[in-house]
C-alpha cells in the first residue's frame, strides 16, 4: 500500500473552518487583554475604527489570497504560494519564516495562559501556583488534541469560540445599558483615528487578526478546496473586524470615553474583570475562566498551523522527511509532536530564567508572551505583504479567469498597506514590548525574524533546482492535480 502523503480530505467544512480561524484570533482575549493595552499605550480613542480599517485592508489581501488558494492547495500556504509565484528558493525562505512566526505565536501564548490561569486560581481558591506549572496543563491538552484528527480540534474550538462570543455579547449588553456618559459615537470618530500615534494603534490592532490567514493551511483537508477556504476567510475577517469594533466601542461606553484610557492604564488586562465585578462577581469569574479558555483555543489553533507547516516542509524535503509522516488518523503527528517539544523546551527555559525575577508574577507576560507575539506579528504581516506581491506575479502569468480587481488592484493595494503596517510595527517595536523589557530586545526579536528569512534563503542553496511538492494546482474545470517531485539536496 502506498504511503499516504496528503492530509485526509473532506473533514473540514466552511463553518468548522470559520471557528478554527476565529479561535486563533481569540475574541475574548482581544477584548479583555488587547483592547485595554491598546487604549493605554496608544492613548487614542479610535481603537474601534482601527479594527474596521484593518478589516478592510485584510479583505483586500484575502481577495487575491483566496483566489490563489482556490487554485493552489497545500498545507504550507505561504510556502506554497510564494514558491509558485516567486520561485521555490523564495518559497523556502518564506517557509522557514512562517514556521518560526507561527511557533513564536503559539509558544508565546503559554506565557499569557500560565499567568492568567495562575491568577484565576489564586483569586478563586487563594492557592498560588507557578505560571509554568499551570501552563503545563494547557501544554498537555494541546499536545494530546494536536495529534488527534482535525475533527476533534474543530469541535473543541467550535465550542470554545461560541462560549467566547456569548460572554462578550453579555459584556456588551451590560456596558451599553450602564453607560455612565451615555451611548455615543465618540470612539467612532475619524478625528480620534487619523492623528499622530496611529502607527502604534495599527501596530497593536493588527495582532488581533493574526491567524485569519491560516484557513489556507487546511486546504488539503477541506470538503471543497476551491470554495471552502475563501468563504471561511471572508466570513472570519468580516466577523472579526465588525465584532471587535462593536465590542470595544460598547466596552468604552461602559467605562466612559473620558475615563477609558486612564482606567486602562491603571488596571491593564484586569480592567474588564474589575469593571464587570461591580455588576456581577459571578459573571466576572465566568468571564475570567472563558478568558483563559480563549487563550487555550488560540494555543490549539496556532499549534495546528505550526504542525501543518512542519508537515508540509518535511514532505517537501526542506526539513527532515520524518516530519512529513502522517498518523493512522491522517493527522500530521510528527509535526505536532515536534511543535509540542519545541514549546516544552522554550517554556522550560523561561521558567528557569524567571526564578527570582524582578518582574515578579508578570515575568511570563512581559517576556515570553510580549516578545514572542510581537515579533511573530511582524513576521506574519511581512509575509502577507510578500504573499500579496506573489499574487500579482502569479496572476500576471495567467489570469485564470479572474477579474482585474482580483488579479491586480486588490493585491497591489494590500501589498502597499501591509508593507506600511510592517514598517510601523518595526518603528514602534520599543513601545510594543514595553519599557520593562531590556532595550536590547528591540534588536534581538525583529532580528530573529529577519535572520530567519536570510537563513532560509541560504538554506535553499543546498537544494538542486528545488520545486514545490504535493501542491495541487487546479483550474475551474477538473484538470489533473499537479504534484512535482520532492526537493533533493546537493
Amino acid at each position: 500500500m502506498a504511503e499516504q502523503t496528503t492530509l485526509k480530505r473532506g473533514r473540514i467544512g466552511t463553518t468548522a473552518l470559520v471557528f478554527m480561524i476565529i479561535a486563533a484570533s481569540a475574541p475574548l482575549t482581544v477584548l479583555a487583554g488587547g483592547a485595554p493595552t491598546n487604549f493605554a499605550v496608544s492613548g487614542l480613542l479610535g481603537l474601534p475604527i482601527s479594527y474596521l480599517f484593518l478589516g478592510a485592508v485584510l479583505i483586500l489581501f484575502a481577495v487575491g489570497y483566496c483566489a490563489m488558494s482556490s487554485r493552489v492547495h497545500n498545507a504550507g500556504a505561504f510556502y506554497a504560494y510564494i514558491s509558485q509565484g516567486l520561485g521555490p528558493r523564495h518559497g523556502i525562505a518564506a517557509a522557514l519564516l512562517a514556521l518560526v512566526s507561527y511557533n513564536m505565536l503559539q509558544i508565546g501564548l503559554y506565557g499569557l495562559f500560565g499567568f492568567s490561569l495562575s491568577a484565576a486560581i489564586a483569586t478563586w481558591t487563594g492557592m498560588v501556583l507557578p505560571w509554568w506549572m499551570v501552563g503545563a496543563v494547557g501544554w498537555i491538552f494541546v499536545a494530546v488534541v494536536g495529534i488527534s484528527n482535525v475533527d476533534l480540534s474543530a469541535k473543541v474550538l467550535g465550542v470554545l469560540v461560541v462560549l467566547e462570543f456569548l460572554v462578550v455579547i453579555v459584556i456588551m449588553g451590560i456596558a451599553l445599558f450602564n453607560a455612565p456618559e451615555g451611548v455615543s459615537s465618540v470612539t467612532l470618530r475619524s478625528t480620534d483615528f487619523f492623528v499622530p500615534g496611529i502607527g502604534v494603534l495599527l501596530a497593536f490592532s493588527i495582532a488581533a487578526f493574526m491567524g485569519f490567514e491560516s484557513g489556507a493551511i487546511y486546504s488539503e483537508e477541506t470538503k471543497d478546496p476551491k470554495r471552502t477556504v475563501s468563504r471561511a476567510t471572508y466570513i472570519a475577517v468580516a466577523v472579526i473586524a465588525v465584532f471587535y469594533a462593536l465590542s470595544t466601542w460598547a466596552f468604552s461606553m461602559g467605562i466612559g470615553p473620558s475615563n477609558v484610557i486612564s482606567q486602562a492604564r491603571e488596571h491593564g488586562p484586569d480592567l474588564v474583570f474589575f469593571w464587570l465585578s461591580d455588576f456581577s462577581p459571578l459573571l466576572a469569574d465566568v468571564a475570567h475562566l472563558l478568558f483563559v479558555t480563549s487563550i487555550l483555543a488560540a494555543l490549539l489553533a496556532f499549534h495546528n498551523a505550526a504542525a501543518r507547516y512542519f508537515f508540509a516542509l518535511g514532505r517537501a524535503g526542506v526539513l527532515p522527511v520524518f516530519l512529513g509522516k502522517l498518523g493512522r488518523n491522517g493527522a500530521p503527528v510528527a509535526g505536532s509532536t515536534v511543535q509540542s517539544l519545541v514549546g516544552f523546551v522554550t517554556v522550560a527555559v523561561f521558567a528557569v530564567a524567571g526564578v527570582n525575577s524582578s518582574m515578579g508574577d508578570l515575568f511570563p507576560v512581559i517576556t515570553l508572551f510580549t516578545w514572542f507575539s510581537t515579533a511573530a506579528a511582524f513576521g506574519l504581516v511581512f509575509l502577507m505583504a510578500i504573499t500579496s506581491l506573489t499574487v500579482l506575479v502569479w496572476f500576471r502569468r495567467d489570469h485564470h479567469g479572474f477579474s482585474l480587481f482580483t488579479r491586480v488592484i486588490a493585491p497591489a493595494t494590500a501589498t502597499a498597506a501591509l508593507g506600511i503596517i510592517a514598517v510601523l510595527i518595526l518603528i514602534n517595536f520599543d513601545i510594543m514590548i514595553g519599557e520593562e523589557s531590556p532595550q536590547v530586545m528591540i534588536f534581538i526579536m525583529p532580528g530573529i525574524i529577519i535572520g530567519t528569512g536570510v537563513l532560509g534563503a541560504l538554506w535553499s542553496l543546498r537544494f538542486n533546482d528545488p520545486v514545490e511538492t504535493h501542491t495541487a494546482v487546479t483550474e475551474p474545470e477538473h484538470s489533473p492535480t499537479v504534484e512535482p517531485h520532492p526537493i533533493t539536496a546537493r
Side-chain angles (χ1 to χ4, degrees):
M1 181 182 293
E3 181 181 357
Q4 185 180 355
T5 56
T6 57
L7 295 164
K8 192 168 182 178
R9 304 181 189 278
R11 284 187 160 177
I12 305 176
T14 300
T15 302
L17 189 53
V18 168
F19 281 131
M20 296 176 82
I21 294 172
I22 293 178
S25 297
L28 184 54
T29 302
V30 170
L31 177 63
T37 301
N38 209 333
F39 275 127
V41 176
S42 69
L44 299 176
L45 292 174
L47 178 57
I49 302 179
S50 73
Y51 292 132
L52 295 176
F53 176 83
L54 289 171
V57 169
L58 297 180
I59 285 290
L60 289 174
F61 167 80
V63 169
Y65 182 69
C66 291
M68 195 168 179
S69 76
S70 69
R71 300 289 182 267
V72 180
H73 314 145
N74 187 288
F78 288 140
Y79 166 44
Y81 300 167
I82 293 175
S83 292
Q84 290 286 325
L86 301 182
R89 297 198 187 282
H90 293 85
I92 291 173
L96 294 185
L97 179 53
L99 182 65
V100 168
S101 295
Y102 277 118
N103 271 282
M104 290 181 78
L105 263 179
Q106 200 270 351
I107 296 169
L109 283 170
Y110 280 117
L112 181 61
F113 176 80
F115 168 81
S116 301
L117 182 54
S118 176
I121 292 173
T123 299
W124 299 332
T125 68
M127 185 184 302
V128 179
L129 299 174
W131 70 271
W132 53 266
M133 182 181 293
V134 294
V137 175
W139 182 86
I140 293 171
F141 172 83
V142 171
V144 171
V145 177
I147 60 175
S148 304
N149 64 57
V150 76
D151 296 351
L152 179 59
S153 289
K155 290 174 182 176
V156 170
L157 292 174
V159 172
L160 294 178
V161 168
V162 169
L163 292 175
E164 282 186 67
F165 271 98
L166 288 176
V167 75
V168 172
I169 290 171
V170 171
I171 290 173
M172 289 167 60
I174 293 174
L176 293 176
F177 279 106
N178 296 277
E181 299 173 23
V183 177
S184 68
S185 60
V186 172
T187 55
L188 298 174
R189 297 181 306 197
S190 60
T191 52
D192 287 305
F193 178 66
F194 294 107
V195 293
I198 186 176
V200 178
L201 193 65
L202 292 176
F204 267 103
S205 296
I206 192 68
F209 290 87
M210 291 299 95
F212 92 93
E213 77 295 333
S214 63
I217 293 173
Y218 300 95
S219 60
E220 293 182 29
E221 300 164 90
T222 57
K223 295 179 179 178
D224 184 355
K226 296 181 184 178
R227 297 179 179 85
T228 301
V229 172
S230 57
R231 286 175 185 163
T233 301
Y234 283 128
I235 292 170
V237 173
V239 169
I240 290 170
V242 173
F243 193 71
Y244 286 174
L246 286 175
S247 60
T248 51
W249 165 74
F251 182 63
S252 67
M253 294 299 105
I255 301 296
S258 64
N259 293 317
V260 67
I261 292 175
S262 61
Q263 289 290 302
R265 287 172 175 169
E266 179 180 354
H267 298 287
D270 286 333
L271 178 58
V272 170
F273 312 117
F274 177 81
W275 167 81
L276 197 56
S277 63
D278 289 339
F279 301 96
S280 171
L282 176 60
L283 184 57
D285 287 341
V286 171
H288 204 162
L289 175 62
L290 289 175
F291 175 69
V292 173
T293 60
S294 75
I295 303 171
L296 187 63
L299 274 167
L300 180 57
F302 284 121
H303 170 87
N304 287 339
R308 280 155 179 76
Y309 259 97
F310 274 122
F311 165 75
L313 297 181
R315 180 178 61 183
V318 176
L319 293 180
V321 294
F322 80 88
L323 291 170
K325 304 297 183 181
L326 295 173
R328 293 181 178 179
N329 58 4
V333 174
S336 178
T337 302
V338 168
Q339 202 287 321
S340 293
L341 290 175
V342 171
F344 178 85
V345 171
T346 306
V347 170
V349 169
F350 274 83
V352 173
V355 175
N356 298 322
S357 170
S358 60
M359 299 178 189
D361 293 340
L362 285 173
F363 174 82
V365 178
I366 294 173
T367 59
L368 181 57
F369 171 66
T370 302
W371 295 351
F372 277 43
S373 61
T374 305
F378 168 64
L380 289 177
V381 171
F382 176 74
L383 274 173
M384 285 192 285
I386 298 300
T387 302
S388 283
L389 178 62
T390 297
V391 171
L392 283 169
V393 174
W394 194 69
F395 277 121
R396 185 177 180 182
R397 298 178 191 149
D398 186 340
H399 60 70
H400 293 274
F402 288 100
S403 68
L404 179 66
F405 178 78
T406 299
R407 294 182 287 112
V408 179
I409 297 175
T413 305
T415 301
L418 290 167
I420 291 171
I421 293 171
V423 171
L424 288 174
I425 294 175
L426 206 53
I427 292 173
N428 294 287
F429 205 87
D430 58 334
I431 298 174
M432 296 181 71
I433 64 173
E435 59 184 17
E436 302 91 345
S437 298
Q439 289 299 297
V440 69
M441 301 311 297
I442 298 172
F443 305 99
I444 291 178
M445 299 313 295
I448 291 174
I449 296 299
I450 296 171
T452 298
V454 173
L455 179 64
L458 295 175
W459 181 253
S460 71
L461 297 178
R462 71 184 295 268
F463 300 107
N464 288 314
D465 299 322
V467 291
E468 170 62 21
T469 183
H470 295 288
T471 298
V473 182
T474 63
E475 292 301 324
E477 299 302 324
H478 299 289
S479 59
T481 294
V482 179
E483 296 187 348
H485 297 291
I487 294 172
T488 56
R490 290 184 187 279

